[in-house]
Amino acid sequence: MGQTIRFGVSLDSELLEKFDALCEERCYQTRSEAIRDLIRNTLVQKEWEDTGNVVAGTLTLVYDHHKSDLAQRLTELQHDHHDVIISTIHAHLDHDNCLEVLILKGPGKDVQALGQKLISTKGVKHGKLNLTTTGKDIM
Ligand code: NI
């Protein structure tokens, strides 16, 4: 971790008002902490865009396990990509619906491709991939 540097930011007053309102809404104690989070989020996003980097993330899927061979197809896809799946949690939401959360880690392009394959599998009602970083290069 480097030393802390103070720097000034020039900003339109209306934009600053909106930013301060956002800081309050999101419970930031100081503008600095909010700006640090914004910078970190942008750096994390850049990491995923650079698809060769290793990313971590979760994929949430909701599906009806009665739908033809859907559960089996999802399991097969997961076995085909076991190298990027760290863990899977399955919850039976109700009589029909299942919720699955996959914890993923691997090259950005592989994690995103698997996420897209699973989400677009016919019969999946909802899917969302949330990517983050291993944090290795971010303070
Ligand atoms: Ni289930």
Side-chain angles (χ1 to χ4, degrees):
M1 198 158 153
Q3 63 180 121
T4 302
I5 309 281
R6 294 176 64 95
F7 65 99
V9 178
S10 304
L11 214 56
D12 175 87
S13 60
E14 286 179 20
L15 188 59
L16 184 60
E17 254 176 53
K18 286 180 185 167
F19 184 66
D20 283 343
L22 184 79
C23 289
E24 197 180 326
E25 190 186 307
R26 297 196 178 167
C27 304
Y28 284 109
Q29 303 290 312
T30 63
R31 287 175 182 155
S32 290
E33 195 46 51
I35 289 170
R36 278 193 284 273
D37 268 4
L38 287 173
I39 292 172
R40 287 188 196 107
N41 284 340
T42 306
L43 291 172
V44 168
Q45 188 155 355
K46 192 184 171 307
E47 269 199 27
W48 329 327
E49 285 164 2
D50 190 355
T51 54
N53 285 334
V54 172
V55 299
T58 57
L59 176 69
T60 305
L61 297 170
V62 175
Y63 61 91
D64 181 342
H65 72 99
H66 292 122
K67 276 266 163 74
S68 61
D69 61 345
L70 179 57
Q72 196 187 329
R73 273 186 289 137
L74 292 174
T75 303
E76 275 169 18
L77 268 172
Q78 292 182 40
H79 278 273
D80 288 345
H81 297 86
H82 64 88
D83 51 320
V84 295
I85 301 173
I86 293 175
S87 185
T88 307
I89 301 165
H90 184 108
H92 310 303
L93 287 181
D94 53 37
H95 185 262
D96 303 315
N97 295 298
C98 300
L99 175 117
E100 236 166 60
V101 179
L102 282 66
I103 299 175
L104 307 167
K105 182 185 160 199
K109 62 175 170 27
D110 297 346
V111 168
Q112 293 192 65
L114 174 61
Q116 204 43 54
K117 268 187 207 165
L118 289 167
I119 290 169
S120 64
T121 299
K122 191 168 176 242
V124 170
K125 292 181 175 179
H126 183 247
K128 188 154 176 49
L129 178 64
N130 267 306
L131 291 180
T132 182
T133 176
T134 58
K136 194 164 56 76
D137 300 320
I138 296 176
M139 274 150 250

